[in-house]
Amino acid sequence: MPTCPRCTGPLPNTLTRSRTTTARNLPICPPCASHEAARDVAGHAPIPPNEWPIPHH
Ligand SMILES: [Zn+2]
């Protein structure tokens, strides 16, 4: 199974193109996508890919 570049967790093969960061068109796992969406709602910028991998949330 591929690895999520954001959290180094498992990246499901069923991932769709919509499950990407807003910063770049990179595939990330569903938990990371949810985390980024929550940050966006809270008014925080997405964590930039050059700060990946981040500790699991
Ligand atoms: Zn992830």
Side-chain angles (χ1 to χ4, degrees):
M1 181 178 287
T3 302
C4 173
R6 189 175 181 275
C7 70
T8 69
L11 187 64
N13 287 322
T14 53
L15 213 65
T16 64
R17 296 284 292 176
S18 62
R19 293 280 191 192
T20 57
T21 63
T22 53
R24 295 187 187 183
N25 195 24
L26 293 169
I28 57 175
C29 67
C32 281
S34 297
H35 189 228
E36 294 267 292
R39 287 179 60 87
D40 187 52
V41 168
H44 298 298
I47 297 173
N50 63 8
E51 292 182 16
W52 296 353
I54 62 171
H56 219 283
H57 39 87

PDB file of all heavy atoms in Angstrom, residues 12-52:
ATOM      1  N   PRO A  12      -4.837   4.776   1.026  1.00  0.00           N
ATOM      2  CA  PRO A  12      -5.698   3.803   0.333  1.00  0.00           C
ATOM      3  C   PRO A  12      -5.612   3.933  -1.180  1.00  0.00           C
ATOM      4  O   PRO A  12      -5.514   5.043  -1.718  1.00  0.00           O
ATOM      5  CB  PRO A  12      -7.107   4.175   0.829  1.00  0.00           C
ATOM      6  CG  PRO A  12      -6.883   4.899   2.111  1.00  0.00           C
ATOM      7  CD  PRO A  12      -5.578   5.639   1.933  1.00  0.00           C
ATOM      8  N   ASN A  13      -5.639   2.810  -1.844  1.00  0.00           N
ATOM      9  CA  ASN A  13      -5.579   2.811  -3.306  1.00  0.00           C
ATOM     10  C   ASN A  13      -6.847   3.363  -3.929  1.00  0.00           C
ATOM     11  O   ASN A  13      -6.858   3.724  -5.094  1.00  0.00           O
ATOM     12  CB  ASN A  13      -5.338   1.389  -3.818  1.00  0.00           C
ATOM     13  CG  ASN A  13      -3.927   0.922  -3.571  1.00  0.00           C
ATOM     14  OD1 ASN A  13      -2.975   1.692  -3.683  1.00  0.00           O
ATOM     15  ND2 ASN A  13      -3.774  -0.343  -3.233  1.00  0.00           N
ATOM     16  N   THR A  14      -7.891   3.432  -3.150  1.00  0.00           N
ATOM     17  CA  THR A  14      -9.169   3.898  -3.672  1.00  0.00           C
ATOM     18  C   THR A  14      -9.266   5.419  -3.644  1.00  0.00           C
ATOM     19  O   THR A  14     -10.312   5.986  -3.882  1.00  0.00           O
ATOM     20  CB  THR A  14     -10.327   3.314  -2.845  1.00  0.00           C
ATOM     21  OG1 THR A  14     -10.097   3.593  -1.467  1.00  0.00           O
ATOM     22  CG2 THR A  14     -10.424   1.813  -3.027  1.00  0.00           C
ATOM     23  N   LEU A  15      -8.154   6.050  -3.333  1.00  0.00           N
ATOM     24  CA  LEU A  15      -8.120   7.504  -3.227  1.00  0.00           C
ATOM     25  C   LEU A  15      -8.603   8.168  -4.524  1.00  0.00           C
ATOM     26  O   LEU A  15      -8.251   7.749  -5.609  1.00  0.00           O
ATOM     27  CB  LEU A  15      -6.690   7.934  -2.956  1.00  0.00           C
ATOM     28  CG  LEU A  15      -6.474   9.157  -2.093  1.00  0.00           C
ATOM     29  CD1 LEU A  15      -6.977   8.894  -0.683  1.00  0.00           C
ATOM     30  CD2 LEU A  15      -4.989   9.458  -2.050  1.00  0.00           C
ATOM     31  N   THR A  16      -9.368   9.208  -4.357  1.00  0.00           N
ATOM     32  CA  THR A  16      -9.838   9.941  -5.524  1.00  0.00           C
ATOM     33  C   THR A  16      -9.054  11.239  -5.659  1.00  0.00           C
ATOM     34  O   THR A  16      -8.366  11.666  -4.740  1.00  0.00           O
ATOM     35  CB  THR A  16     -11.339  10.273  -5.405  1.00  0.00           C
ATOM     36  OG1 THR A  16     -11.534  11.144  -4.305  1.00  0.00           O
ATOM     37  CG2 THR A  16     -12.150   9.014  -5.212  1.00  0.00           C
ATOM     38  N   ARG A  17      -9.188  11.866  -6.783  1.00  0.00           N
ATOM     39  CA  ARG A  17      -8.464  13.110  -7.041  1.00  0.00           C
ATOM     40  C   ARG A  17      -8.909  14.224  -6.099  1.00  0.00           C
ATOM     41  O   ARG A  17      -8.195  15.193  -5.907  1.00  0.00           O
ATOM     42  CB  ARG A  17      -8.679  13.559  -8.483  1.00  0.00           C
ATOM     43  CG  ARG A  17      -8.109  12.601  -9.508  1.00  0.00           C
ATOM     44  CD  ARG A  17      -6.613  12.700  -9.632  1.00  0.00           C
ATOM     45  NE  ARG A  17      -6.204  13.982 -10.221  1.00  0.00           N
ATOM     46  CZ  ARG A  17      -4.941  14.355 -10.377  1.00  0.00           C
ATOM     47  NH1 ARG A  17      -3.985  13.550 -10.001  1.00  0.00           N
ATOM     48  NH2 ARG A  17      -4.651  15.518 -10.912  1.00  0.00           N
ATOM     49  N   SER A  18     -10.093  14.086  -5.528  1.00  0.00           N
ATOM     50  CA  SER A  18     -10.597  15.141  -4.652  1.00  0.00           C
ATOM     51  C   SER A  18      -9.892  15.127  -3.300  1.00  0.00           C
ATOM     52  O   SER A  18      -9.901  16.108  -2.576  1.00  0.00           O
ATOM     53  CB  SER A  18     -12.100  14.986  -4.442  1.00  0.00           C
ATOM     54  OG  SER A  18     -12.379  13.763  -3.808  1.00  0.00           O
ATOM     55  N   ARG A  19      -9.264  14.000  -2.970  1.00  0.00           N
ATOM     56  CA  ARG A  19      -8.556  13.874  -1.705  1.00  0.00           C
ATOM     57  C   ARG A  19      -7.127  14.383  -1.854  1.00  0.00           C
ATOM     58  O   ARG A  19      -6.167  13.643  -1.795  1.00  0.00           O
ATOM     59  CB  ARG A  19      -8.518  12.411  -1.265  1.00  0.00           C
ATOM     60  CG  ARG A  19      -9.874  11.857  -0.911  1.00  0.00           C
ATOM     61  CD  ARG A  19     -10.293  12.276   0.470  1.00  0.00           C
ATOM     62  NE  ARG A  19     -11.491  11.536   0.906  1.00  0.00           N
ATOM     63  CZ  ARG A  19     -12.200  11.878   1.969  1.00  0.00           C
ATOM     64  NH1 ARG A  19     -11.851  12.904   2.682  1.00  0.00           N
ATOM     65  NH2 ARG A  19     -13.238  11.176   2.302  1.00  0.00           N
ATOM     66  N   THR A  20      -7.011  15.656  -2.072  1.00  0.00           N
ATOM     67  CA  THR A  20      -5.674  16.232  -2.234  1.00  0.00           C
ATOM     68  C   THR A  20      -5.568  17.470  -1.362  1.00  0.00           C
ATOM     69  O   THR A  20      -6.549  17.988  -0.858  1.00  0.00           O
ATOM     70  CB  THR A  20      -5.414  16.618  -3.701  1.00  0.00           C
ATOM     71  OG1 THR A  20      -6.432  17.526  -4.116  1.00  0.00           O
ATOM     72  CG2 THR A  20      -5.427  15.391  -4.590  1.00  0.00           C
ATOM     73  N   THR A  21      -4.359  17.915  -1.170  1.00  0.00           N
ATOM     74  CA  THR A  21      -4.160  19.132  -0.403  1.00  0.00           C
ATOM     75  C   THR A  21      -4.657  20.314  -1.201  1.00  0.00           C
ATOM     76  O   THR A  21      -4.772  20.264  -2.420  1.00  0.00           O
ATOM     77  CB  THR A  21      -2.678  19.363  -0.101  1.00  0.00           C
ATOM     78  OG1 THR A  21      -1.997  19.538  -1.334  1.00  0.00           O
ATOM     79  CG2 THR A  21      -2.088  18.209   0.665  1.00  0.00           C
ATOM     80  N   THR A  22      -4.932  21.381  -0.500  1.00  0.00           N
ATOM     81  CA  THR A  22      -5.296  22.603  -1.201  1.00  0.00           C
ATOM     82  C   THR A  22      -4.034  23.324  -1.664  1.00  0.00           C
ATOM     83  O   THR A  22      -4.072  24.127  -2.582  1.00  0.00           O
ATOM     84  CB  THR A  22      -6.118  23.525  -0.282  1.00  0.00           C
ATOM     85  OG1 THR A  22      -5.405  23.708   0.928  1.00  0.00           O
ATOM     86  CG2 THR A  22      -7.468  22.910   0.016  1.00  0.00           C
ATOM     87  N   ALA A  23      -2.906  23.028  -1.014  1.00  0.00           N
ATOM     88  CA  ALA A  23      -1.658  23.706  -1.365  1.00  0.00           C
ATOM     89  C   ALA A  23      -1.091  23.186  -2.676  1.00  0.00           C
ATOM     90  O   ALA A  23      -0.636  23.932  -3.511  1.00  0.00           O
ATOM     91  CB  ALA A  23      -0.635  23.525  -0.257  1.00  0.00           C
ATOM     92  N   ARG A  24      -1.105  21.873  -2.831  1.00  0.00           N
ATOM     93  CA  ARG A  24      -0.588  21.258  -4.039  1.00  0.00           C
ATOM     94  C   ARG A  24      -1.474  20.092  -4.390  1.00  0.00           C
ATOM     95  O   ARG A  24      -2.195  19.574  -3.558  1.00  0.00           O
ATOM     96  CB  ARG A  24       0.856  20.757  -3.838  1.00  0.00           C
ATOM     97  CG  ARG A  24       1.829  21.865  -3.594  1.00  0.00           C
ATOM     98  CD  ARG A  24       3.219  21.317  -3.584  1.00  0.00           C
ATOM     99  NE  ARG A  24       4.187  22.337  -3.176  1.00  0.00           N
ATOM    100  CZ  ARG A  24       5.486  22.144  -3.144  1.00  0.00           C
ATOM    101  NH1 ARG A  24       5.985  20.981  -3.470  1.00  0.00           N
ATOM    102  NH2 ARG A  24       6.295  23.097  -2.773  1.00  0.00           N
ATOM    103  N   ASN A  25      -1.368  19.681  -5.614  1.00  0.00           N
ATOM    104  CA  ASN A  25      -2.177  18.560  -6.058  1.00  0.00           C
ATOM    105  C   ASN A  25      -1.485  17.245  -5.720  1.00  0.00           C
ATOM    106  O   ASN A  25      -1.096  16.485  -6.579  1.00  0.00           O
ATOM    107  CB  ASN A  25      -2.428  18.674  -7.563  1.00  0.00           C
ATOM    108  CG  ASN A  25      -3.561  17.751  -7.998  1.00  0.00           C
ATOM    109  OD1 ASN A  25      -4.407  17.379  -7.200  1.00  0.00           O
ATOM    110  ND2 ASN A  25      -3.559  17.384  -9.251  1.00  0.00           N
ATOM    111  N   LEU A  26      -1.317  17.011  -4.410  1.00  0.00           N
ATOM    112  CA  LEU A  26      -0.666  15.799  -3.941  1.00  0.00           C
ATOM    113  C   LEU A  26      -1.688  14.920  -3.236  1.00  0.00           C
ATOM    114  O   LEU A  26      -2.524  15.422  -2.488  1.00  0.00           O
ATOM    115  CB  LEU A  26       0.448  16.153  -2.949  1.00  0.00           C
ATOM    116  CG  LEU A  26       1.657  16.894  -3.508  1.00  0.00           C
ATOM    117  CD1 LEU A  26       2.522  17.396  -2.364  1.00  0.00           C
ATOM    118  CD2 LEU A  26       2.463  15.985  -4.412  1.00  0.00           C
ATOM    119  N   PRO A  27      -1.606  13.618  -3.464  1.00  0.00           N
ATOM    120  CA  PRO A  27      -2.548  12.723  -2.786  1.00  0.00           C
ATOM    121  C   PRO A  27      -2.206  12.581  -1.308  1.00  0.00           C
ATOM    122  O   PRO A  27      -1.040  12.360  -0.956  1.00  0.00           O
ATOM    123  CB  PRO A  27      -2.372  11.400  -3.530  1.00  0.00           C
ATOM    124  CG  PRO A  27      -0.985  11.443  -4.076  1.00  0.00           C
ATOM    125  CD  PRO A  27      -0.695  12.901  -4.358  1.00  0.00           C
ATOM    126  N   ILE A  28      -3.177  12.732  -0.460  1.00  0.00           N
ATOM    127  CA  ILE A  28      -3.005  12.500   0.975  1.00  0.00           C
ATOM    128  C   ILE A  28      -4.136  11.615   1.454  1.00  0.00           C
ATOM    129  O   ILE A  28      -5.151  11.483   0.792  1.00  0.00           O
ATOM    130  CB  ILE A  28      -2.955  13.825   1.777  1.00  0.00           C
ATOM    131  CG1 ILE A  28      -4.216  14.663   1.554  1.00  0.00           C
ATOM    132  CG2 ILE A  28      -1.699  14.619   1.427  1.00  0.00           C
ATOM    133  CD1 ILE A  28      -4.273  15.911   2.414  1.00  0.00           C
ATOM    134  N   CYS A  29      -3.937  11.025   2.635  1.00  0.00           N
ATOM    135  CA  CYS A  29      -4.926  10.069   3.135  1.00  0.00           C
ATOM    136  C   CYS A  29      -6.170  10.810   3.643  1.00  0.00           C
ATOM    137  O   CYS A  29      -6.110  11.999   3.948  1.00  0.00           O
ATOM    138  CB  CYS A  29      -4.302   9.202   4.222  1.00  0.00           C
ATOM    139  SG  CYS A  29      -3.871  10.080   5.740  1.00  0.00           S
ATOM    140  N   PRO A  30      -7.287  10.091   3.760  1.00  0.00           N
ATOM    141  CA  PRO A  30      -8.532  10.733   4.218  1.00  0.00           C
ATOM    142  C   PRO A  30      -8.398  11.450   5.555  1.00  0.00           C
ATOM    143  O   PRO A  30      -8.919  12.565   5.693  1.00  0.00           O
ATOM    144  CB  PRO A  30      -9.524   9.569   4.271  1.00  0.00           C
ATOM    145  CG  PRO A  30      -9.034   8.632   3.205  1.00  0.00           C
ATOM    146  CD  PRO A  30      -7.523   8.715   3.275  1.00  0.00           C
ATOM    147  N   PRO A  31      -7.724  10.870   6.578  1.00  0.00           N
ATOM    148  CA  PRO A  31      -7.570  11.626   7.838  1.00  0.00           C
ATOM    149  C   PRO A  31      -6.831  12.946   7.643  1.00  0.00           C
ATOM    150  O   PRO A  31      -7.182  13.964   8.266  1.00  0.00           O
ATOM    151  CB  PRO A  31      -6.781  10.665   8.736  1.00  0.00           C
ATOM    152  CG  PRO A  31      -7.108   9.310   8.212  1.00  0.00           C
ATOM    153  CD  PRO A  31      -7.239   9.497   6.729  1.00  0.00           C
ATOM    154  N   CYS A  32      -5.819  12.941   6.790  1.00  0.00           N
ATOM    155  CA  CYS A  32      -5.089  14.180   6.521  1.00  0.00           C
ATOM    156  C   CYS A  32      -5.973  15.173   5.784  1.00  0.00           C
ATOM    157  O   CYS A  32      -5.941  16.371   6.064  1.00  0.00           O
ATOM    158  CB  CYS A  32      -3.833  13.894   5.698  1.00  0.00           C
ATOM    159  SG  CYS A  32      -2.470  13.254   6.684  1.00  0.00           S
ATOM    160  N   ALA A  33      -6.757  14.685   4.843  1.00  0.00           N
ATOM    161  CA  ALA A  33      -7.664  15.562   4.113  1.00  0.00           C
ATOM    162  C   ALA A  33      -8.659  16.211   5.074  1.00  0.00           C
ATOM    163  O   ALA A  33      -8.955  17.407   4.975  1.00  0.00           O
ATOM    164  CB  ALA A  33      -8.393  14.770   3.027  1.00  0.00           C
ATOM    165  N   SER A  34      -9.140  15.416   6.038  1.00  0.00           N
ATOM    166  CA  SER A  34     -10.079  15.949   7.027  1.00  0.00           C
ATOM    167  C   SER A  34      -9.394  16.983   7.912  1.00  0.00           C
ATOM    168  O   SER A  34      -9.970  18.014   8.259  1.00  0.00           O
ATOM    169  CB  SER A  34     -10.627  14.807   7.889  1.00  0.00           C
ATOM    170  OG  SER A  34     -11.362  13.908   7.095  1.00  0.00           O
ATOM    171  N   HIS A  35      -8.129  16.693   8.265  1.00  0.00           N
ATOM    172  CA  HIS A  35      -7.379  17.602   9.118  1.00  0.00           C
ATOM    173  C   HIS A  35      -7.162  18.935   8.410  1.00  0.00           C
ATOM    174  O   HIS A  35      -7.322  20.005   8.985  1.00  0.00           O
ATOM    175  CB  HIS A  35      -6.042  16.957   9.496  1.00  0.00           C
ATOM    176  CG  HIS A  35      -5.277  17.714  10.540  1.00  0.00           C
ATOM    177  ND1 HIS A  35      -3.932  18.004  10.408  1.00  0.00           N
ATOM    178  CD2 HIS A  35      -5.665  18.243  11.725  1.00  0.00           C
ATOM    179  CE1 HIS A  35      -3.547  18.694  11.492  1.00  0.00           C
ATOM    180  NE2 HIS A  35      -4.561  18.842  12.310  1.00  0.00           N
ATOM    181  N   GLU A  36      -6.787  18.866   7.139  1.00  0.00           N
ATOM    182  CA  GLU A  36      -6.558  20.089   6.377  1.00  0.00           C
ATOM    183  C   GLU A  36      -7.867  20.869   6.220  1.00  0.00           C
ATOM    184  O   GLU A  36      -7.874  22.101   6.293  1.00  0.00           O
ATOM    185  CB  GLU A  36      -5.990  19.745   4.997  1.00  0.00           C
ATOM    186  CG  GLU A  36      -4.611  19.140   5.063  1.00  0.00           C
ATOM    187  CD  GLU A  36      -3.499  20.177   4.930  1.00  0.00           C
ATOM    188  OE1 GLU A  36      -3.367  20.743   3.851  1.00  0.00           O
ATOM    189  OE2 GLU A  36      -2.790  20.396   5.914  1.00  0.00           O
ATOM    190  N   ALA A  37      -8.959  20.149   6.021  1.00  0.00           N
ATOM    191  CA  ALA A  37     -10.255  20.808   5.882  1.00  0.00           C
ATOM    192  C   ALA A  37     -10.632  21.505   7.186  1.00  0.00           C
ATOM    193  O   ALA A  37     -11.159  22.625   7.175  1.00  0.00           O
ATOM    194  CB  ALA A  37     -11.318  19.782   5.494  1.00  0.00           C
ATOM    195  N   ALA A  38     -10.338  20.844   8.329  1.00  0.00           N
ATOM    196  CA  ALA A  38     -10.646  21.437   9.628  1.00  0.00           C
ATOM    197  C   ALA A  38      -9.802  22.689   9.852  1.00  0.00           C
ATOM    198  O   ALA A  38     -10.283  23.691  10.394  1.00  0.00           O
ATOM    199  CB  ALA A  38     -10.391  20.425  10.740  1.00  0.00           C
ATOM    200  N   ARG A  39      -8.541  22.645   9.431  1.00  0.00           N
ATOM    201  CA  ARG A  39      -7.675  23.818   9.544  1.00  0.00           C
ATOM    202  C   ARG A  39      -8.223  24.962   8.696  1.00  0.00           C
ATOM    203  O   ARG A  39      -8.222  26.124   9.114  1.00  0.00           O
ATOM    204  CB  ARG A  39      -6.248  23.479   9.085  1.00  0.00           C
ATOM    205  CG  ARG A  39      -5.472  22.610  10.058  1.00  0.00           C
ATOM    206  CD  ARG A  39      -4.072  22.298   9.501  1.00  0.00           C
ATOM    207  NE  ARG A  39      -3.309  23.522   9.268  1.00  0.00           N
ATOM    208  CZ  ARG A  39      -2.566  24.125  10.204  1.00  0.00           C
ATOM    209  NH1 ARG A  39      -2.482  23.611  11.408  1.00  0.00           N
ATOM    210  NH2 ARG A  39      -1.910  25.225   9.930  1.00  0.00           N
ATOM    211  N   ASP A  40      -8.705  24.627   7.520  1.00  0.00           N
ATOM    212  CA  ASP A  40      -9.231  25.637   6.621  1.00  0.00           C
ATOM    213  C   ASP A  40     -10.448  26.309   7.233  1.00  0.00           C
ATOM    214  O   ASP A  40     -10.576  27.536   7.222  1.00  0.00           O
ATOM    215  CB  ASP A  40      -9.578  24.985   5.277  1.00  0.00           C
ATOM    216  CG  ASP A  40      -9.982  26.013   4.227  1.00  0.00           C
ATOM    217  OD1 ASP A  40      -9.216  26.972   4.030  1.00  0.00           O
ATOM    218  OD2 ASP A  40     -11.042  25.857   3.618  1.00  0.00           O
ATOM    219  N   VAL A  41     -11.328  25.503   7.822  1.00  0.00           N
ATOM    220  CA  VAL A  41     -12.536  26.032   8.461  1.00  0.00           C
ATOM    221  C   VAL A  41     -12.160  26.946   9.627  1.00  0.00           C
ATOM    222  O   VAL A  41     -12.797  27.969   9.872  1.00  0.00           O
ATOM    223  CB  VAL A  41     -13.444  24.872   8.933  1.00  0.00           C
ATOM    224  CG1 VAL A  41     -14.551  25.383   9.848  1.00  0.00           C
ATOM    225  CG2 VAL A  41     -14.046  24.152   7.731  1.00  0.00           C
ATOM    226  N   ALA A  42     -11.084  26.573  10.345  1.00  0.00           N
ATOM    227  CA  ALA A  42     -10.639  27.343  11.505  1.00  0.00           C
ATOM    228  C   ALA A  42      -9.839  28.578  11.099  1.00  0.00           C
ATOM    229  O   ALA A  42      -9.413  29.357  11.950  1.00  0.00           O
ATOM    230  CB  ALA A  42      -9.816  26.453  12.430  1.00  0.00           C
ATOM    231  N   GLY A  43      -9.610  28.734   9.803  1.00  0.00           N
ATOM    232  CA  GLY A  43      -8.894  29.900   9.328  1.00  0.00           C
ATOM    233  C   GLY A  43      -7.388  29.740   9.281  1.00  0.00           C
ATOM    234  O   GLY A  43      -6.659  30.716   9.125  1.00  0.00           O
ATOM    235  N   HIS A  44      -6.912  28.488   9.427  1.00  0.00           N
ATOM    236  CA  HIS A  44      -5.477  28.222   9.368  1.00  0.00           C
ATOM    237  C   HIS A  44      -5.091  27.780   7.964  1.00  0.00           C
ATOM    238  O   HIS A  44      -5.845  27.076   7.298  1.00  0.00           O
ATOM    239  CB  HIS A  44      -5.083  27.129  10.357  1.00  0.00           C
ATOM    240  CG  HIS A  44      -5.354  27.485  11.785  1.00  0.00           C
ATOM    241  ND1 HIS A  44      -4.749  28.554  12.420  1.00  0.00           N
ATOM    242  CD2 HIS A  44      -6.185  26.929  12.707  1.00  0.00           C
ATOM    243  CE1 HIS A  44      -5.195  28.621  13.667  1.00  0.00           C
ATOM    244  NE2 HIS A  44      -6.071  27.665  13.865  1.00  0.00           N
ATOM    245  N   ALA A  45      -3.902  28.160   7.548  1.00  0.00           N
ATOM    246  CA  ALA A  45      -3.410  27.733   6.249  1.00  0.00           C
ATOM    247  C   ALA A  45      -3.040  26.253   6.312  1.00  0.00           C
ATOM    248  O   ALA A  45      -2.713  25.743   7.383  1.00  0.00           O
ATOM    249  CB  ALA A  45      -2.186  28.548   5.856  1.00  0.00           C
ATOM    250  N   PRO A  46      -3.093  25.571   5.179  1.00  0.00           N
ATOM    251  CA  PRO A  46      -2.652  24.174   5.163  1.00  0.00           C
ATOM    252  C   PRO A  46      -1.173  24.077   5.555  1.00  0.00           C
ATOM    253  O   PRO A  46      -0.403  25.008   5.305  1.00  0.00           O
ATOM    254  CB  PRO A  46      -2.842  23.745   3.703  1.00  0.00           C
ATOM    255  CG  PRO A  46      -3.797  24.740   3.128  1.00  0.00           C
ATOM    256  CD  PRO A  46      -3.556  26.021   3.868  1.00  0.00           C
ATOM    257  N   ILE A  47      -0.815  22.959   6.169  1.00  0.00           N
ATOM    258  CA  ILE A  47       0.592  22.742   6.495  1.00  0.00           C
ATOM    259  C   ILE A  47       1.340  22.513   5.184  1.00  0.00           C
ATOM    260  O   ILE A  47       0.971  21.632   4.410  1.00  0.00           O
ATOM    261  CB  ILE A  47       0.752  21.522   7.431  1.00  0.00           C
ATOM    262  CG1 ILE A  47       0.039  21.797   8.757  1.00  0.00           C
ATOM    263  CG2 ILE A  47       2.241  21.216   7.657  1.00  0.00           C
ATOM    264  CD1 ILE A  47      -0.012  20.602   9.691  1.00  0.00           C
ATOM    265  N   PRO A  48       2.354  23.323   4.893  1.00  0.00           N
ATOM    266  CA  PRO A  48       3.041  23.195   3.601  1.00  0.00           C
ATOM    267  C   PRO A  48       3.776  21.865   3.471  1.00  0.00           C
ATOM    268  O   PRO A  48       4.299  21.344   4.463  1.00  0.00           O
ATOM    269  CB  PRO A  48       4.022  24.372   3.600  1.00  0.00           C
ATOM    270  CG  PRO A  48       4.193  24.741   5.032  1.00  0.00           C
ATOM    271  CD  PRO A  48       2.918  24.386   5.722  1.00  0.00           C
ATOM    272  N   PRO A  49       3.798  21.317   2.264  1.00  0.00           N
ATOM    273  CA  PRO A  49       4.440  20.009   2.052  1.00  0.00           C
ATOM    274  C   PRO A  49       5.906  19.960   2.485  1.00  0.00           C
ATOM    275  O   PRO A  49       6.395  18.887   2.823  1.00  0.00           O
ATOM    276  CB  PRO A  49       4.308  19.803   0.531  1.00  0.00           C
ATOM    277  CG  PRO A  49       3.083  20.579   0.168  1.00  0.00           C
ATOM    278  CD  PRO A  49       3.106  21.792   1.077  1.00  0.00           C
ATOM    279  N   ASN A  50       6.585  21.104   2.524  1.00  0.00           N
ATOM    280  CA  ASN A  50       7.985  21.059   2.939  1.00  0.00           C
ATOM    281  C   ASN A  50       8.135  20.873   4.454  1.00  0.00           C
ATOM    282  O   ASN A  50       9.245  20.735   4.955  1.00  0.00           O
ATOM    283  CB  ASN A  50       8.760  22.283   2.434  1.00  0.00           C
ATOM    284  CG  ASN A  50       8.231  23.585   3.025  1.00  0.00           C
ATOM    285  OD1 ASN A  50       7.376  23.580   3.918  1.00  0.00           O
ATOM    286  ND2 ASN A  50       8.731  24.694   2.523  1.00  0.00           N
ATOM    287  N   GLU A  51       7.006  20.866   5.163  1.00  0.00           N
ATOM    288  CA  GLU A  51       7.040  20.568   6.599  1.00  0.00           C
ATOM    289  C   GLU A  51       6.564  19.147   6.885  1.00  0.00           C
ATOM    290  O   GLU A  51       6.424  18.747   8.031  1.00  0.00           O
ATOM    291  CB  GLU A  51       6.183  21.588   7.370  1.00  0.00           C
ATOM    292  CG  GLU A  51       6.780  22.970   7.344  1.00  0.00           C
ATOM    293  CD  GLU A  51       5.945  23.969   8.143  1.00  0.00           C
ATOM    294  OE1 GLU A  51       5.103  23.545   8.945  1.00  0.00           O
ATOM    295  OE2 GLU A  51       6.145  25.178   7.940  1.00  0.00           O
ATOM    296  N   TRP A  52       6.272  18.409   5.832  1.00  0.00           N
ATOM    297  CA  TRP A  52       5.879  17.010   5.999  1.00  0.00           C
ATOM    298  C   TRP A  52       7.094  16.142   6.197  1.00  0.00           C
ATOM    299  O   TRP A  52       8.177  16.526   5.740  1.00  0.00           O
ATOM    300  CB  TRP A  52       5.124  16.525   4.759  1.00  0.00           C
ATOM    301  CG  TRP A  52       3.818  17.233   4.501  1.00  0.00           C
ATOM    302  CD1 TRP A  52       3.185  18.139   5.299  1.00  0.00           C
ATOM    303  CD2 TRP A  52       2.999  17.102   3.328  1.00  0.00           C
ATOM    304  NE1 TRP A  52       2.026  18.561   4.691  1.00  0.00           N
ATOM    305  CE2 TRP A  52       1.886  17.946   3.494  1.00  0.00           C
ATOM    306  CE3 TRP A  52       3.118  16.343   2.167  1.00  0.00           C
ATOM    307  CZ2 TRP A  52       0.884  18.050   2.524  1.00  0.00           C
ATOM    308  CZ3 TRP A  52       2.127  16.448   1.204  1.00  0.00           C
ATOM    309  CH2 TRP A  52       1.015  17.286   1.389  1.00  0.00           C
TER     310      TRP A  52
END
